[in-house]
Amino acid sequence: VKEQVVERVPNVFDYDELTKYGFSHLVTPIMDLKGGRRAVYDLMDMEPPPLAGPPPKKTAPELVIDRTGKEDKARYTGLKMGQVLDDSAMAEALDRANKKAKEGKELRPKLMEEEYVPPFAEKRNTGPKLTPDWTPERLDEYAKAQGRAQAWARRAKLGEFVKDPFETLDLPAGIR
């Protein structure tokens, strides 16, 4: 399978680039602007990058299985090595096979079905460049949850949730 890599220079105000470098808080205001990121290029007196067209359509090669051997030269319908009755012909064929094996060559050509690559089998460039477990939004949610837990603990320590005046958070050493 031929490796296919799509490399292009990232645009400064691409939403993916802003998020990648920790500026995800700017994405929503840029999107809310009339004109989006193209308008931001104008505001910053920068030349906007050229618009990239849609990606090319992927096509799948048509699978043709030649069962008769007319097109596929690997399909040989003649005598096989084990079917040869002449000992000298058999010796020559075995000698040729041994030479090919020593040279590391294929003993027989590959069939068309063996060379067929299923369409879209290679999984390169199928998703976004960056899909981390911890996105900036998830980090913000985690920090807010930690802050809420710490605030609750602080209020509990100050006695905000105490209904019984003799109740304390400190347990005597004997009860621990």
Side-chain angles (χ1 to χ4, degrees), residues 20-41:
K20 181 178 176 181
Y21 292 108
F23 296 102
S24 60
H25 61 281
L26 296 176
V27 171
T28 307
I30 289 174
M31 290 172 84
D32 291 341
L33 261 175
K34 186 175 182 180
R37 60 186 167 159
R38 304 298 256 173
V40 174
Y41 282 106

Side-chain angles (χ1 to χ4, degrees), residues 44-115:
M44 300 295 286
D45 291 327
M46 294 173 66
E47 185 178 327
L51 290 173
K57 296 280 184 194
K58 287 189 174 184
T59 58
E62 186 177 333
L63 175 62
V64 179
I65 299 176
D66 183 18
R67 300 244 183 250
T68 60
K70 289 179 183 172
E71 300 292 323
D72 198 353
K73 300 301 177 196
R75 284 193 197 284
Y76 174 68
T77 57
L79 288 174
K80 307 293 187 272
M81 212 183 289
Q83 296 171 328
V84 176
L85 298 176
D86 186 16
D87 288 340
S88 61
M90 182 67 165
E92 287 177 20
L94 282 172
D95 191 38
R96 279 196 307 270
N98 285 336
K99 283 183 183 176
K100 281 185 177 180
K102 284 181 183 175
E103 293 173 3
K105 292 182 181 175
E106 293 282 332
L107 293 178
R108 64 173 181 82
K110 289 195 174 208
L111 296 169
M112 291 172 78
E113 296 95 80
E114 293 173 334
E115 293 178 353

